[in-house]
Amino acid sequence: MQQTALQIYVSSHDWVWALWQIIHFVGMSLIIGIIGTMDLRILGLFKSIPVAALRPLVPWAIVGFICNLVTGIFFVAGKTPGPSYYTDNLSFRLKMLFVLLAAGNLIVFQLSGLEGRVYATPAGGNAPAAAKAVAAFSLVAWVLVIFFGRIMQYNDTLLMFLGL
């Protein structure tokens, strides 16, 4: 099997993989820290903060997502066994499923008009019930992204647990 230039570079420079992981973890921290806080506020925590006060932080969550997208592509393309190491991994597939579900949830939030109504929620106010459902789904989806991302290296254990 022939290795790509990226795989050769990664396998001959140990620091590259570690740097990608750091960037990936920082990106996920930005996503969870910002979107998670916003979701929790929508659900009723931190009521002394108007939801709109969190809006300026959203671009940082987007930066985190872009960092994760770029490093994720490098992980898949740079792994020495090749992309099949990930694409054949049930944990990776489930992680990607929940990333897509979280993205779809965000699209629903934006296109349904909930976003505008949520940002109009004042300090002490309650977000609409539909927004609370979207926020709860978002939290669950992102926690599952992290969970399945962490257990990718234990895929055999997951398969055994599921009886597959």
Side-chain angles (χ1 to χ4, degrees):
M1 177 166 61
Q2 192 173 10
Q3 290 185 323
T4 66
L6 182 61
Q7 290 169 333
I8 293 168
Y9 186 79
V10 171
S11 63
S12 61
H13 296 86
D14 293 337
W15 61 269
V16 173
W17 196 267
L19 178 63
W20 289 349
Q21 284 186 323
I22 291 168
I23 295 169
H24 202 75
F25 294 148
V26 168
M28 184 54 67
S29 297
L30 286 169
I31 294 168
I32 291 298
I34 295 165
I35 301 305
T37 300
M38 184 170 284
D39 288 339
L40 290 172
R41 171 57 188 97
I42 292 168
L43 289 169
L45 275 70
F46 318 119
K47 279 191 159 185
S48 63
I49 301 170
V51 179
L54 300 172
R55 190 176 208 163
L57 299 175
V58 171
W60 285 103
I62 294 167
V63 168
F65 184 82
I66 292 168
C67 287
N68 282 9
L69 178 64
V70 171
T71 55
I73 290 169
F74 280 131
F75 287 142
V76 172
K79 189 75 172 172
T80 300
S84 64
Y85 174 84
Y86 288 101
T87 58
D88 293 345
N89 186 308
L90 177 62
S91 298
F92 176 78
R93 290 178 183 180
L94 290 170
K95 175 183 178 174
M96 291 299 100
L97 171 67
F98 285 104
V99 167
L100 290 173
L101 289 172
N105 190 52
L106 175 61
I107 290 168
V108 167
F109 180 69
Q110 291 179 328
L111 295 181
S112 68
L114 281 174
E115 182 179 28
R117 293 190 346 228
V118 163
Y119 284 129
T121 305
N126 288 313
K132 290 181 179 191
V134 168
F137 186 87
S138 173
L139 281 174
V140 170
W142 284 114
V143 166
L144 289 172
V145 166
I146 293 170
F147 175 77
F148 286 115
R150 288 302 304 138
I151 68 165
M152 269 193 275
Q153 62 189 348
Y154 307 108
N155 192 57
D156 292 341
T157 304
L158 175 63
L159 293 173
M160 186 175 63
F161 176 76
L162 296 174
L164 301 174

